Amino acid sequence: MKYILLIFLIFTSIVFKGQTFILSGKITDKKEPLPFATIMVKGTTFGTNSNVDGAYALKLPAGTYEMVYQYVGYSKKIQKIELTGDKTVNINLSADGVSLSEVEVKAGEDPAYPIIRKAIKKRKYYQKQIDAYTCIAYIKGLQRIKQIPKNFSKLVKLSGGNASDTADIKGVVYLSESESKYHYRAPDDEKEIMYSSKVSGDNKAFSFNQLSDMKVNFYNNLVELGNLSDRPFTSPINENAFLYYRFYLLGTIKGDGKIINKIKVVPKRKTDPCFRGIIYIQDSTWRITSVDLMLTKEAKIDFVDTLLIKQLHAPVAADSIWLPVTLNFYFDFKAFGFKGDGYFNANIKDYNLHPEFPKKFFKNEVLKVEEGANKKDTAYWATNRAVPLTNEEAKDYRTKDSIAMIRGTDRYKDSVDKKRNKFKFNDVFMGYTYNNTKKKFTASLPGIITNGVQYNTVEGLNLSYKLSIHKEYEDHRFINITGKSRYGFSNKLWGGELGASYLFKPEKFSSVGINIKTITEQFNEQDPISPLINSAYTLLMNENFMKLYKESALSAFYYTELVNGIYFNGILKYAERAPLKNTSDLLLIDDKNKLFTSNDPQNPANEANMFTLNNALTAEALFSFRFKQKYYTLPHQKIISGSKYPRLSIGYKKAFPYLNSVADYDLASINISDKIKLGLFGNLNYRLRGGYFLNTGKMYFMDYKHFTGNQTFFNTNDYLSSYRLLPYYTYSADKWFTEAHAEHHFNGFIINKIPLIKKLKVQEVVGGHFMASNKLDYYYEINFGLEKLFKVIRIDYVLGYAPDAKIKQGFTIGINMGF
């Protein structure tokens, strides 16, 4: 009998050897599913997560396993499983069995405080514990719209869209899966290689799932969350944590011979950049084993109302090194009548703590999406998907992939374009766009409302009409054609401009272009005053700030990235410059104490000595350097992620006295700028500029260096390149100049501590601006401002100082979308 049993065992071992089976089931808390629970083979990091419905599936070779089932805030369960075929194992987890019986309570201090002190003491040790590692990450991301405004479809229809398209907005709007290998080397080198990517309904797109974005390290003093906030957040074990948090020991959890302390963290002030929730710290080692934390709008996060962060750590080298095996972000949001939520979940496995990296592996590329990553078929994902799909996710894939196939046919594209291209009455006001989806071609014409009618004293009432044409090719190449016509009703002058550019190598940003025009231009090519604001000040306040001349020119440019972080821009231009005079004195409100100035910036009192008609042949070369620039690489694309070093630009402009050109000068210039992150204290932005005319053989006023000034209540210029109270042309330089701009954005560091005012959710900013040239010994401004009023509005109080000892002061208001 024993021989028969032996033969049977040998036979079954041979049959099952090399076979894999599926261990599946559902993780619940009594009857409720536990989303994103962790399931691992004991002693390894090999495992999976449950999906939103609590379901899991894991492929394993035949054998006997001790499976570990874990969920943050619940007691771990270990179950021995013999796998000789597909098997279903449902697991019920219980909330943490915490105990306070052995905790020594000191009068006046919660027992959590000495634990946190010890964790803070060990923070740097765990922060620097690992020199290098690699791991494999599977990430799934989902975003859904759960509610749209009641009248949204009517608004879409009114603006010329198809009201039926709003049906696609509600429900899942983004579903994606990706697999990548993450590489790390201390102190801050990282590189992620995405080798598979799937986006629901778009087989040409790539996931924007990244482990590097989810890898929140609470051993760092400050936690960065990218675009979700202007400022970092304070870790619960920050070296100054007791200034920001209150701690409460909820109990201890015992298991596997270890004691885990369950500690509640609460911000001392609601508006401080702090987390709230639970952190789990292992006794004696004082390491973090898991976190269950959240941020709310009160902590000043953008785009979402609530962000929940869950992490589960596990030993990857005996018990000495623990690393995350599950990362989960859940968020919800509401804005303008829209409500929604979503999540990103990462399952991490196959840690290698002793990797060997090729030479220059970590150079500057931080993310690489492999060619063909988005070409993996359904069978591949069915085999390799670490977390099973929910019914909602499976339905979204089926529906959107089917719709994408239909929408990809020429017949569908033609039918949609035919309907969309029909001219409607409201197109007269809002503009008209012609689409040929099949050929990736669009042409747009503005409407009466979007076109713009302006007024200035040179042209009087003037009307500009613009058009644009866009044609796309394979591999992200495209051609843009823009045109503009302009007519001044007072000086009866027609003008026009036509330009074309071709992006022929997207991965190098390489493009060429040509432009031909005969049109009015401001003397300062930076256009310091907007036509709309100038129209209002001219008609209502007798202030005609805009000064114009006519330029007829032919120009060409070439732009490219030479090597990573080094860019070249070359411009060749031949232009005829003609003077223009005021022809209109129309006013809506006449201030008898003011007269219009002439159109000669150098002689505001009269126009008798304006410049004469002249030609200029100029060539300009600009080299820009961003040292150690980090970037992402996608097939035929490159995305810049930034650099910790300043940006340096060096330029040279030469006017040649050839081909009937009389302008003759040489200008060398330099520009340095950077954004310095100062943690909780905000960001310091600065820009330094300087230039010298090496040759001034023959120059006209439009060739001078003009500073971006402002003489109105409105600031429409770049805050870090302009002056709020400086006259537009009074101090324009023709020999040398220097500029310095600096602004510190406190990101709420001060205001968030002031009762009542902090509820306004505004942020403070201070700045200093300096200028000197051969026309002015010095000029400087100091500004104090509030930004993010109603999200985008900024108001400044400005003081200006010049050698005449007269102090200028005033307020400005503007739009500030970012820094």
Side-chain angles (χ1 to χ4, degrees):
M1 185 69 183
K2 64 180 181 180
Y3 294 109
I4 295 173
L5 179 60
L6 179 62
I7 292 169
F8 175 76
L9 291 173
I10 293 172
F11 173 76
T12 53
S13 65
I14 292 171
V15 170
F16 293 133
K17 185 178 181 181
Q19 290 192 15
T20 58
F21 300 107
I22 298 176
L23 173 65
S24 61
K26 197 166 186 178
I27 315 295
T28 59
D29 169 8
K30 295 180 181 177
K31 293 183 179 180
E32 293 298 318
L34 294 178
F36 315 117
T38 303
I39 302 96
M40 288 192 306
V41 177
K42 187 177 180 181
T44 74
T45 59
F46 183 80
T48 185
N49 297 134
S50 62
N51 63 21
V52 174
D53 296 331
Y56 74 94
L58 182 63
K59 288 188 176 183
L60 290 167
T64 301
Y65 300 92
E66 283 190 287
M67 300 301 301
V68 181
Y69 296 87
Q70 286 180 275
Y71 188 75
V72 177
Y74 286 72
S75 295
K76 177 168 59 176
K77 182 172 283 189
I78 301 175
Q79 187 157 326
K80 191 172 183 179
I81 295 173
E82 186 176 346
L83 202 61
T84 57
D86 292 348
K87 196 166 191 174
T88 300
V89 178
N90 296 321
I91 297 293
N92 182 266
L93 296 181
S94 303
D96 288 331
V98 297
S99 169
L100 283 169
S101 59
E102 298 178 8
V103 175
E104 181 183 350
V105 180
K106 294 181 180 179
E109 182 178 69
D110 191 279
Y113 282 81
I115 297 171
I116 293 296
R117 287 191 190 97
K118 292 171 183 175
I120 291 173
K121 231 175 190 180
K122 294 283 284 188
R123 182 188 65 82
K124 284 188 178 180
Y125 170 77
Y126 290 120
Q127 184 188 41
K128 300 177 180 180
Q129 184 183 21
I130 304 171
D131 293 327
Y133 69 86
T134 63
C135 62
I136 301 295
Y138 163 85
I139 303 176
K140 183 194 292 183
L142 180 143
Q143 297 173 39
R144 62 170 75 87
I145 300 292
K146 304 173 81 172
Q147 179 181 305
I148 62 175
K150 291 181 180 179
N151 297 320
F152 183 67
S153 58
K154 292 181 181 179
L155 292 172
V156 171
K157 191 174 182 180
L158 185 65
S159 62
N162 190 341
S164 62
D165 291 342
T166 59
D168 293 340
I169 296 175
K170 197 171 180 180
V172 176
V173 294
Y174 175 81
L175 171 60
S176 174
E177 299 173 276
S178 65
E179 294 176 299
S180 59
K181 186 171 184 178
Y182 177 81
H183 310 75
Y184 169 80
R185 183 178 66 188
D188 54 11
D189 288 330
E190 60 180 358
K191 184 173 182 177
E192 191 168 353
I193 300 175
M194 186 181 295
Y195 55 87
S196 61
S197 168
K198 182 175 177 64
V199 178
S200 182
D202 193 345
N203 60 9
K204 292 185 178 180
F206 295 97
S207 304
F208 52 80
N209 311 338
Q210 286 179 241
L211 182 62
S212 51
D213 287 341
M214 296 185 68
K215 201 173 61 67
V216 175
N217 188 350
F218 288 98
Y219 290 119
N220 292 333
N221 267 325
L222 299 174
V223 175
E224 298 276 357
L225 289 177
N227 294 326
L228 285 179
S229 179
D230 299 325
R231 59 181 182 174
F233 295 88
T234 306
S235 168
I237 58 169
N238 180 290
E239 59 189 358
N240 296 311
F242 298 115
L243 296 176
Y244 296 93
Y245 288 101
R246 293 187 177 92
F247 300 94
Y248 305 93
L249 180 62
L250 300 182
T252 58
I253 307 160
K254 296 180 180 179
D256 294 338
K258 303 178 181 67
I259 298 175
I260 308 296
N261 298 287
K262 182 178 182 180
I263 297 173
K264 182 179 180 181
V265 299
V266 179
K268 286 187 172 181
R269 292 166 293 273
K270 290 181 179 180
T271 53
D272 274 353
C274 294
F275 300 90
R276 62 176 65 244
I278 308 293
I279 185 169
Y280 296 82
I281 295 176
Q282 190 181 67
D283 213 61
S284 72
T285 63
W286 315 116
R287 65 162 58 93
I288 297 171
T289 61
S290 57
V291 300
D292 188 357
L293 299 171
M294 69 180 293
L295 293 168
T296 64
K297 273 289 185 184
E298 291 176 319
K300 301 293 173 59
I301 52 176
D302 298 325
F303 307 115
V304 299
D305 292 324
T306 306
L307 175 67
L308 278 69
I309 300 176
K310 288 189 177 185
Q311 293 185 351
L312 181 66
H313 298 214
V316 297
D319 193 47
S320 60
I321 296 177
W322 288 49
L323 288 170
V325 292
T326 298
L327 302 174
N328 178 255
F329 287 5
Y330 171 83
F331 55 89
D332 60 42
F333 60 89
K334 55 182 177 181
F336 308 110
F338 290 90
K339 288 184 180 180
D341 64 0
Y343 68 82
F344 284 89
N345 186 71
N347 172 254
I348 309 168
K349 63 181 181 180
D350 296 346
Y351 277 101
N352 177 7
L353 301 182
H354 304 286
E356 293 184 5
F357 300 118
K359 193 176 181 181
K360 297 183 179 180
F361 179 77
F362 286 105
K363 203 167 182 184
N364 292 301
E365 185 183 48
V366 293
L367 172 68
K368 180 179 181 180
V369 179
E370 291 186 340
E371 192 86 36
N374 58 351
K375 305 301 182 189
K376 306 295 173 67
D377 59 18
T378 304
Y380 172 88
W381 285 104
T383 302
N384 292 276
R385 179 176 287 119
V387 178
L389 298 176
T390 64
N391 291 334
E392 179 187 39
E393 293 162 354
K395 181 182 177 181
D396 190 72
Y397 272 137
R398 286 194 305 270
T399 303
K400 288 184 179 173
D401 290 348
S402 298
I403 292 173
M405 289 181 65
I406 295 171
R407 289 179 173 175
T409 63
D410 290 346
R411 182 179 178 182
Y412 178 85
K413 292 176 182 177
D414 290 341
S415 66
V416 171
D417 287 343
K418 185 177 179 180
K419 185 176 181 180
R420 188 184 297 169
N421 292 337
K422 285 183 179 179
F423 189 83
K424 297 175 284 294
F425 177 73
N426 63 341
D427 292 337
V428 175
F429 302 96
M430 303 302 298
Y432 173 77
T433 299
Y434 171 83
N435 292 278
N436 188 323
T437 309
K438 188 166 55 180
K439 294 184 178 180
K440 299 181 180 179
F441 174 88
T442 61
S444 299
L445 297 171
I448 294 174
I449 295 175
T450 57
N451 199 31
V453 178
Q454 288 110 27
Y455 176 82
N456 61 67
T457 54
V458 174
E459 300 169 292
L461 191 68
N462 61 85
L463 176 67
S464 295
Y465 197 79
K466 302 176 182 179
L467 65 89
S468 64
I469 295 172
H470 182 80
K471 166 66 178 175
E472 291 186 18
Y473 299 93
E474 295 299 322
D475 304 333
H476 303 283
R477 294 174 295 117
F478 64 81
I479 289 177
N480 274 335
I481 298 174
T482 58
K484 180 170 70 172
S485 64
R486 182 182 178 106
Y487 182 71
F489 288 91
S490 179
N491 66 354
K492 298 179 174 56
L493 184 67
W494 278 99
E497 184 172 5
L498 185 65
S501 62
Y502 175 42
L503 180 70
F504 62 90
K505 198 171 185 180
E507 60 269 32
K508 284 288 187 179
F509 311 102
S510 302
S511 60
V512 293
I514 190 169
N515 181 279
I516 185 170
K517 66 179 177 180
T518 176
I519 203 165
T520 56
E521 297 283 8
Q522 294 190 46
F523 281 90
N524 184 347
E525 63 182 3
Q526 300 300 319
D527 294 340
I529 182 167
S530 79
L532 181 63
I533 293 174
N534 181 74
S535 300
Y537 267 77
T538 304
L539 292 170
L540 302 176
M541 302 178 69
N542 289 46
E543 300 279 12
N544 58 326
F545 293 122
M546 184 180 286
K547 306 303 176 186
L548 303 166
Y549 71 99
K550 182 182 177 183
E551 182 176 67
S552 302
L554 175 66
S555 62
F557 78 87
Y558 171 70
Y559 180 84
T560 192
E561 184 181 41
L562 301 174
V563 297
N564 181 53
I566 301 179
Y567 300 87
F568 170 76
N569 188 22
I571 304 172
L572 183 64
K573 181 178 181 181
Y574 188 86
E576 178 190 82
R577 289 93 65 91
L580 296 172
K581 296 184 178 182
N582 288 338
T583 63
S584 176
D585 57 2
L586 178 66
L587 287 168
L588 295 180
I589 298 176
D590 188 5
D591 186 342
K592 302 298 184 181
N593 297 317
K594 291 182 181 179
L595 295 174
F596 283 142
T597 57
S598 77
N599 191 46
D600 184 355
Q602 294 179 291
N603 191 356
N606 66 74
E607 297 173 334
N609 298 313
M610 294 186 71
F611 72 91
T612 57
L613 180 76
N614 66 85
N615 298 331
L617 173 64
T618 59
E620 188 172 0
L622 180 68
F623 291 90
S624 297
F625 304 86
R626 197 67 194 267
F627 305 104
K628 293 190 176 182
Q629 172 185 268
K630 304 295 183 182
Y631 62 92
Y632 305 153
T633 302
L634 284 72
H636 308 289
Q637 280 185 287
K638 182 177 181 179
I639 301 172
I640 307 305
S641 65
S643 169
K644 61 182 180 181
Y645 297 97
R647 183 190 299 273
L648 169 67
S649 298
I650 299 174
Y652 195 92
K653 187 175 183 180
K654 168 71 177 176
F656 301 93
Y658 305 118
L659 301 177
N660 204 32
S661 168
V662 292
D664 178 16
Y665 63 87
D666 293 75
L667 171 63
S669 60
I670 187 170
N671 185 327
I672 302 173
S673 62
D674 198 13
K675 175 180 179 178
I676 303 173
K677 294 183 178 181
L678 298 174
L680 297 176
F681 295 99
N683 305 316
L684 173 65
N685 302 344
Y686 71 85
R687 177 172 281 121
L688 308 175
R689 285 176 175 166
Y692 188 82
F693 286 91
L694 304 173
N695 162 41
T696 57
K698 183 64 176 177
M699 294 176 62
Y700 294 85
F701 193 65
M702 65 282 295
D703 301 319
Y704 286 25
K705 162 60 184 176
H706 303 292
F707 303 97
T708 306
N710 181 49
Q711 292 173 255
T712 74
F713 177 67
F714 303 97
N715 183 42
T716 59
N717 300 305
D718 175 25
Y719 281 92
L720 205 62
S721 302
S722 63
Y723 303 89
R724 317 297 191 271
L725 304 177
L726 184 72
Y728 293 110
Y729 295 110
T730 305
Y731 304 112
S732 298
D734 60 356
K735 289 184 180 178
W736 63 269
F737 64 90
T738 182
E739 293 182 67
H741 305 268
E743 290 200 333
H744 186 83
H745 301 265
F746 287 91
N747 298 339
F749 179 76
I750 299 172
I751 285 180
N752 282 344
K753 296 175 177 61
I754 303 174
L756 298 179
I757 295 180
K758 65 183 180 182
K759 293 183 178 181
L760 298 174
K761 298 182 179 180
V762 297
Q763 297 181 0
E764 59 276 39
V765 57
V766 298
H769 308 266
F770 173 83
M771 183 272 285
S773 71
N774 62 291
K775 294 294 182 71
L776 185 65
D777 291 339
Y778 65 84
Y779 172 83
Y780 58 92
E781 292 178 349
I782 301 173
N783 61 279
F784 308 88
L786 294 175
E787 57 188 353
K788 296 209 169 180
L789 283 85
F790 306 105
K791 300 290 187 182
V792 296
I793 295 175
R794 171 170 163 174
I795 296 177
D796 284 277
Y797 171 68
V798 190
L799 293 169
Y801 303 85
D804 58 11
K806 292 181 180 179
I807 299 176
K808 297 181 179 181
Q809 61 180 323
F811 287 91
T812 63
I813 185 171
I815 303 296
N816 188 22
M817 301 297 291
F819 308 141

